[in-house]
Amino acid sequence: DQQVKQNSPSLSVQEGRISILNCDYTNSMFDYFLWYKKYPAEGPTFLISISSIKDKNEDGRFTVFLNKSAKHLSLHIVPSQPGDSAVYFCAASGHDYKLSFGAGTTVTVRA
Amino acid sequence: GAGVSQSPSNKVTEKGKDVELRCDPISGHTALYWYRQSLGQGLEFLIYFQGNSAPDKSGLPSDRFSAERTGGSVSTLTIQRTQQEDSAVYLCASSSRSGNYGYTFGSGTRLTVV
């Protein structure tokens, strides 16, 4: 039972433009959301997170938006750079230690 | 060590053989997690250790899977009588406290069962 869904397996964007990655979740007990970035042959690395008490969190070029009523979050990358080409995983958790991950979105930034 | 270390990085094994995957967490991290990623799937939780205890083994797919952790440090994930559906990337992560914050992942072990 996939509680976190990333419906777009891939995204191609031109360098300098905005990348928007989407994520939906089904478990209303989730209250903490994270995005991880993964390069080939490496483990996922933490990128940005947001607590359910907020609807936006910004860190440099990366902004995460949370819409609790829609059980939807998104990651915006502005401007996109070639080094942003990677797989991005959305993850969520409730009041425990376990993260539930989406299937990932592969982002390709074209020069 | 500086990061989470996993070995081997790649493992090809014949169906029916046993395999052991190793994880060296960051020194001092008390929490350790095993996840796996099958082709086209998200990361699937397998087991969580706090110290040497495993309060949650609920993600282990079958009784062919087991894991242990010794000295509050190294963990091994053992898969007995491997099957083709066990083929996946097995990822280990550690954190300094229980909770979903500050996970540091290793690079994973890519297991291929032929």
Side-chain angles (χ1 to χ4, degrees), chain B residues 11-21 64-65 77-87 90 111-114:
Chain B
K11 175 75 177 177
V12 180
T13 189
E14 291 182 355
K15 178 180 171 182
K17 301 273 188 174
D18 298 352
V19 295
E20 269 193 7
L21 312 180
R64 296 186 294 105
F65 287 71
L77 176 69
T78 301
I79 309 173
Q80 295 178 309
R81 306 181 302 283
T82 51
Q83 303 293 313
Q84 288 186 327
E85 62 262 28
D86 300 334
S87 296
Y90 289 81
L111 175 67
T112 304
V113 182
V114 297

